Amino acid sequence: MPDSNKPKNLKTALIIASIAAAFFIGIFIKRIWFT
């Protein structure tokens, strides 16, 4: 059971991480732009 569920968790974690990274980069660029 855990073995077949692992790739899905990894994909979900990767999606969440990429969204969080994009959000963080967006704020970082915004702060540089307005400084």
Side-chain angles (χ1 to χ4, degrees):
M1 266 319 210
D3 287 328
S4 61
N5 202 18
K6 202 172 185 183
K8 194 177 182 183
N9 285 347
L10 188 70
K11 193 178 181 182
T12 304
L14 198 70
I15 291 165
I16 293 168
S18 61
I19 292 167
F23 186 72
F24 195 74
I25 290 165
I27 293 169
F28 191 71
I29 291 168
K30 210 174 188 181
R31 285 186 69 174
I32 291 170
W33 196 264
F34 287 109
T35 301

